Amino acid sequence: MEVLFLLWSFVLFSGVTALPVDIDDTDVIIVDAGENSIDGDDFAVDVSSLGPEAFGLPQNESGDTVAEWTESSLMNPEEMGGYAEGDILMPQLGRNGMRETTSRWSNGIIPYVIDTTYTKEQRDNIMRAIADYHRLTCLRFVPHSGQTDYILIKNTNTGCWSSVGRIGGRQEVNLQAPGCVSKKGTILHELLHAIGFLHEQSRPERDDFVTIQYGNIKTGAENNFKKADAKRTYDYGVSYDYNSVMHYSEFAFSKNTQKTIVPKMKDMKLGQREGLSRGDVKKVNNMYSCKKQEPTTGWVGQVWQNFMGSKTRRSVMI
Ligand SMILES: [Zn+2]
């Protein structure tokens, strides 16, 4: 009961509307085969809106910038890299070749390898992020055991970055320690790219929800605020989600500590990195045809249904 009270205090007073981090074993949601019914085709993820700047090689300059990130920084570490939109890096197809599409992960299974250079605490943060996907979606991260396609979670001095969707073969998700593994939300964010999602504020309809303050954006970084093509993107049944872990912070790419993105809805915060939003979960489950129900039992379920599911929040969250 005490734990529940503390949790409610956290949820009510922190203003954080993402799902809390840790649960004990009694609250683990058991997934039965009926819920975990992902269809097995290789449905395409359209990455054409990223443009040629998304294709390239990891850069130590981005790592040096991310190395300066601290918990008190105005922006998120994945917004500090020199890659497309800060943290998207796609491998090229041979000589100057670019992909139009990548794939979903077959049956929602994502084999992974984690770099051995992380500390126990950093590795635990990565595992907590993976546990959230297991608890809330049908995706399953499994230790790599010879599968052709898998992700390698790396700790190189090149910042936070990932490609979008399944590329084929080994693909890398770089989470430079400590900056990219300090907050679970940053890990969830980069994994959501690998799962197949783009940034929330690049949605075609974003100008109805936020105002981009171009005068505050660093010279040369304006490209990071492009919108995806409405004809080539699909919203997976979730409307614009200010609370998405894929939304930039208000200060992304700011040159002057002034906001670069201002929400049109009053008192809305942007760029939380505490956990997956309800919309994030719904999008993953819709992309992967997952029939898993929202949690309803244990304290996770109580929070989910009573707080995240409340009518007043619904219009904002999903
Ligand atoms: Zn990103």
Side-chain angles (χ1 to χ4, degrees):
M1 212 47 217
E2 201 173 312
V3 172
L4 191 60
F5 175 75
L6 286 172
L7 172 73
W8 279 111
S9 304
F10 168 77
V11 168
L12 292 174
F13 298 115
S14 69
V16 172
T17 45
L19 192 70
V21 180
D22 298 307
I23 58 171
D24 62 40
D25 289 345
T26 56
D27 284 313
V28 169
I29 313 299
I30 306 299
V31 181
D32 66 29
E35 286 177 318
N36 214 7
S37 56
I38 299 175
D39 52 12
D41 60 25
D42 286 348
F43 187 79
V45 175
D46 194 314
V47 293
S48 58
S49 66
L50 294 170
E53 62 267 34
F55 296 81
L57 294 170
Q59 303 293 336
N60 286 325
E61 290 77 12
S62 293
D64 294 343
T65 310
V66 168
E68 292 169 14
W69 181 87
T70 68
E71 297 255 357
S72 56
S73 296
L74 284 175
M75 60 185 80
N76 293 312
E78 65 273 22
E79 294 155 10
M80 297 172 76
Y83 308 107
E85 301 187 3
D87 68 334
I88 297 175
L89 180 59
M90 308 287 292
Q92 289 192 335
L93 279 176
R95 192 178 268 259
N96 297 325
M98 292 183 297
R99 293 162 207 271
E100 289 271 296
T101 59
T102 58
S103 301
R104 290 190 303 182
W105 292 84
S106 300
N107 296 314
I109 295 169
I110 306 176
Y112 69 90
V113 175
I114 300 177
D115 199 316
T116 54
T117 60
Y118 293 111
T119 65
K120 181 177 184 308
E121 187 186 353
Q122 291 162 350
R123 189 184 165 90
D124 285 351
N125 278 347
I126 295 170
M127 295 313 294
R128 271 194 275 273
I130 286 175
D132 280 3
Y133 283 111
H134 288 184
R135 187 178 310 127
L136 298 167
T137 76
C138 297
L139 295 175
R140 288 296 170 265
F141 289 81
V142 299
H144 180 246
S145 57
Q147 296 93 336
T148 307
D149 302 338
Y150 67 102
I151 60 171
L152 171 61
I153 298 176
K154 283 200 329 181
N155 177 19
T156 66
N157 183 49
T158 57
C160 324
W161 53 264
S162 173
S163 43
V164 176
R166 178 171 63 86
I167 302 294
R170 183 179 94 179
Q171 69 185 72
E172 296 168 353
V173 176
N174 200 76
L175 295 173
Q176 176 181 325
C180 311
V181 286
S182 297
K183 300 202 94 175
K184 186 181 65 168
T186 299
I187 304 164
L188 290 166
H189 177 110
E190 295 306 332
L191 291 177
L192 261 181
H193 282 315
I195 290 163
F197 289 93
L198 298 166
H199 290 127
E200 190 69 8
Q201 79 289 329
S202 67
R203 287 176 64 144
E205 76 276 35
R206 68 104 190 276
D207 292 329
D208 295 335
F209 296 88
V210 295
T211 305
I212 307 297
Q213 306 281 13
Y214 285 97
N216 296 331
I217 297 173
K218 265 184 268 181
T219 306
E222 298 88 349
N223 251 357
N224 296 325
F225 292 82
K226 283 190 306 194
K227 288 183 287 186
D229 182 346
K231 290 191 215 67
R232 305 189 65 153
T233 53
Y234 182 58
D235 64 12
Y236 293 99
V238 179
S239 58
Y240 196 87
D241 181 10
Y242 289 111
N243 198 43
S244 171
V245 82
M246 299 308 275
H247 205 299
Y248 276 177
S249 68
E250 291 158 325
F251 298 96
F253 306 99
S254 175
K255 66 179 177 190
N256 54 9
T257 71
Q258 300 294 304
K259 291 180 180 178
T260 53
I261 312 180
V262 178
K264 294 197 168 180
M265 193 177 283
K266 203 166 164 277
D267 297 330
M268 195 55 61
K269 266 184 74 75
L270 302 179
Q272 67 81 19
R273 291 294 182 270
E274 304 304 320
L276 295 170
S277 71
R278 193 178 201 185
D280 292 330
V281 172
K282 195 169 172 186
K283 270 190 286 192
V284 171
N285 285 339
N286 286 346
M287 176 186 269
Y288 281 87
S289 306
C290 172
K291 295 178 177 55
K292 186 162 185 161
Q293 298 297 308
E294 291 178 349
T296 54
T297 57
W299 63 256
V300 171
Q302 288 184 42
V303 170
W304 198 275
Q305 294 302 322
N306 295 323
F307 180 71
M308 297 188 72
S310 73
K311 293 285 183 282
T312 52
R313 287 263 169 192
R314 192 175 291 272
S315 60
V316 176
M317 304 291 299
I318 56 176

